[in-house]
């Protein structure tokens, strides 16, 4: 069964990349981009505070959807961790989630003290100044690869997260 998933994942990645080009796509929307009927996802402000533990780290970012259709973040992977889990924080209690919705014309925000990514079973300890690679998988839009800079352990961005 695992063998069948690899070609499917490669195909999904290729289809997602094909949609990233400019000019000669087969966009089903007409007019300018703001009226698109599909999800149009982008990532901003990604960062990982330098881990204080040898086996676990947190990650934060914002996923924006400028399109007219909602999507869903269904999984996150990284070569730096054995697994990456997604968590929401409600009333101070952390709860693992299997997916997060990204509304049409909306955002999904992973921030300190709120929803966040947990990098578990670290294969190496990321250091401040390095970048790690994330692979975000969406229900409708396929996959997106993001470079996440590692900041100081006490980093607190002034804009957003």
């Amino acid at each position: 069964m695992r063998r069948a998933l690899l070609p499917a994942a490669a195909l999904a990645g290729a289809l997602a990349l094909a949609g990233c080009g400019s000019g000669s796509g087969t966009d089903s929307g007409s007019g300018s981009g703001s009226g698109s009927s599909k999800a149009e996802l982008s990532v901003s402000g990604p960062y990982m505070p330098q881990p204080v533990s040898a086996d676990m780290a947190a990650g934060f970012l914002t996923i924006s959807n400028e399109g007219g259709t909602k999507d869903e973040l269904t999984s996150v992977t990284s070569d730096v961790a054995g697994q990456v889990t997604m968590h929401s924080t409600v009333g101070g209690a952390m709860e693992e989630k299997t997916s997060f919705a990204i509304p049409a014309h909306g955002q999904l925000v992973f921030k300190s003290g709120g929803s966040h990514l947990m990098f578990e079973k670290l294969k190496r300890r990321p250091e401040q100044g390095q970048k790690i690679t994330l692979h975000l998988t969406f229900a409708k839009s396929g996959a997106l690869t993001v470079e996440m800079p590692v900041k100081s352990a006490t980093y607190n961005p002034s804009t957003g997260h």
Side-chain angles (χ1 to χ4, degrees), residues 90-108:
V90 179
M94 188 170 76
E95 182 180 325
E96 187 171 338
K97 298 285 190 179
T98 57
S99 65
F100 275 94
I102 306 141
H105 306 291
Q107 291 184 327
L108 168 60

Side-chain angles (χ1 to χ4, degrees), residues 11-147:
L11 177 62
L15 290 173
L17 288 176
C20 292
S22 61
S24 62
T26 56
D27 190 293
S28 60
S30 60
S32 66
S34 63
S36 176
S37 63
K38 62 182 179 178
E40 294 178 21
L41 305 177
S42 62
V43 174
S44 61
Y47 76 97
M48 170 188 281
Q50 181 173 312
V52 293
S53 110
D55 62 344
M56 189 175 284
F60 310 102
L61 53 84
T62 297
I63 303 170
S64 297
N65 181 358
E66 298 297 324
T69 301
K70 70 178 182 171
D71 207 339
E72 206 173 349
L73 178 64
T74 57
S75 71
V76 180
T77 60
S78 176
D79 61 353
V80 76
Q83 75 178 61
V84 182
T85 55
M86 301 180 286
H87 296 263
S88 66
T89 304
V90 179
M94 188 170 76
E95 182 180 325
E96 187 171 338
K97 298 285 190 179
T98 57
S99 65
F100 275 94
I102 306 141
H105 306 291
Q107 291 184 327
L108 168 60
V109 178
F110 288 105
K111 63 182 181 178
S112 182
S115 298
H116 59 280
L117 302 175
M118 290 300 302
F119 296 79
E120 301 172 21
K121 303 173 188 167
L122 291 177
K123 298 175 182 177
R124 63 178 172 81
R125 191 171 176 178
E127 300 289 332
Q128 182 177 342
Q130 295 178 337
K131 289 185 180 179
I132 63 159
T133 302
L134 288 180
H135 301 284
L136 308 173
T137 303
F138 300 93
K140 297 178 182 173
S141 301
L144 187 61
T145 300
V146 176
E147 292 293 309

